[in-house]
Amino acid sequence: YNSRFDVGRSGAGAVADIGSHFMYLARWYFGEIVGIYAQFGYMLPRPPLDDKGQPYELGEETAMVLLTFENGAQGSLTVSTLCYEGTPFGQTHHFEFHGSEGTLYNLIDWDRVQRVSGTRQGEGPAREMPVPDRIWGGARRDTVHNTYRDVFRTQDFMARGFVTAIAEDRAVEPSFHDGARIQYLIEAAVRSNRERCWVDVRSAQ
């Protein structure tokens, strides 16, 4: 049993747990999402809630989500809690950004690889692109976990950034509105999977 896969407690499975972060990034990179189509996968038998054998609604272990953006761009998210990854943390993140003037790739293996590569139109095959020092902000780069620790525990991001914004009486990003929007998009993905339909999410912007 894992509460992340108990819909009564988590609301959804992988699309909420992992997909929420990537939906936020998709909006940040490309603008507002106006349409969603999702398909979930349920592959792993799970034990009952307790020793009394109480059943519960299972959340998905995998999700494939198609997105349409307000500017006409399209995107796809694939999230899985079952893929084997031979790294200490057991997961990897892959990003691809394709446009008419160039392409970018990003790989994070949650061990030691934090790589960006890409190419502009006419430049030939993609090549590794060093991330400027100013972007790192002094964070360690020897392991991904040390980068994570330094960015989110010594710089003003996540909880630290939220507390700083309260102390300085200023707006913070992501905002409550951003969080509410992502929750709405997750619910739209759940509905899309359940009803096997394309969901227009413009009405709740």
Side-chain angles (χ1 to χ4, degrees):
Y1 175 80
N2 187 318
S3 62
R4 294 184 179 195
F5 302 102
D6 182 342
V7 170
R9 297 187 178 188
S10 63
V15 77
D17 185 24
I18 306 172
S20 57
H21 300 286
F22 295 105
M23 284 187 188
Y24 172 76
L25 288 173
R27 289 182 73 230
W28 190 39
Y29 291 141
F30 293 109
E32 191 55 73
I33 296 167
V34 297
I36 287 181
Y37 181 83
Q39 182 173 327
F40 296 170
Y42 304 84
M43 305 175 192
L44 187 66
R46 294 187 181 276
L49 181 59
D50 54 31
D51 56 9
K52 297 177 183 177
Q54 279 187 286
Y56 59 94
E57 183 181 355
L58 289 174
E60 72 284 353
E61 285 104 7
T62 65
M64 299 181 72
V65 185
L66 300 179
L67 306 172
T68 298
F69 296 88
E70 197 168 42
N71 62 12
Q74 296 176 310
S76 63
L77 303 176
T78 301
V79 293
S80 174
T81 63
L82 300 179
C83 291
Y84 170 76
E85 299 289 355
T87 65
F89 200 68
Q91 66 172 296
T92 59
H93 295 167
H94 306 256
F95 301 81
E96 293 188 11
F97 307 94
H98 301 276
S100 58
E101 297 183 7
T103 296
L104 285 173
Y105 303 94
N106 175 237
L107 169 62
I108 299 172
D109 75 347
W110 281 98
D111 185 16
R112 296 182 179 276
V113 177
Q114 305 181 77
R115 183 172 62 239
V116 177
S117 58
T119 183
R120 291 187 179 90
Q121 185 182 33
E123 290 185 349
R127 64 192 184 285
E128 187 167 350
M129 304 172 67
V131 178
D133 289 341
R134 61 181 175 78
I135 300 295
W136 295 98
R140 289 172 290 175
R141 313 174 203 180
D142 54 340
T143 68
V144 178
H145 267 168
N146 279 341
T147 301
Y148 182 91
R149 290 185 184 100
D150 290 351
V151 168
F152 295 116
R153 296 178 187 175
T154 66
Q155 301 178 22
D156 269 347
F157 296 102
M158 290 184 77
R160 185 185 179 100
F162 182 71
V163 172
T164 299
I166 293 173
E168 297 178 356
D169 193 24
R170 59 175 172 81
V172 65
E173 292 184 5
S175 66
F176 178 83
H177 174 78
D178 293 325
R181 180 63 178 169
I182 297 305
Q183 291 299 316
Y184 184 83
L185 297 178
I186 292 169
E187 181 57 33
V190 170
R191 177 189 161 196
S192 173
N193 174 74
R194 182 177 63 245
E195 300 179 7
R196 289 293 188 262
C197 67
W198 185 265
V199 178
D200 188 325
V201 292
R202 286 174 289 194
S203 60
Q205 286 187 39

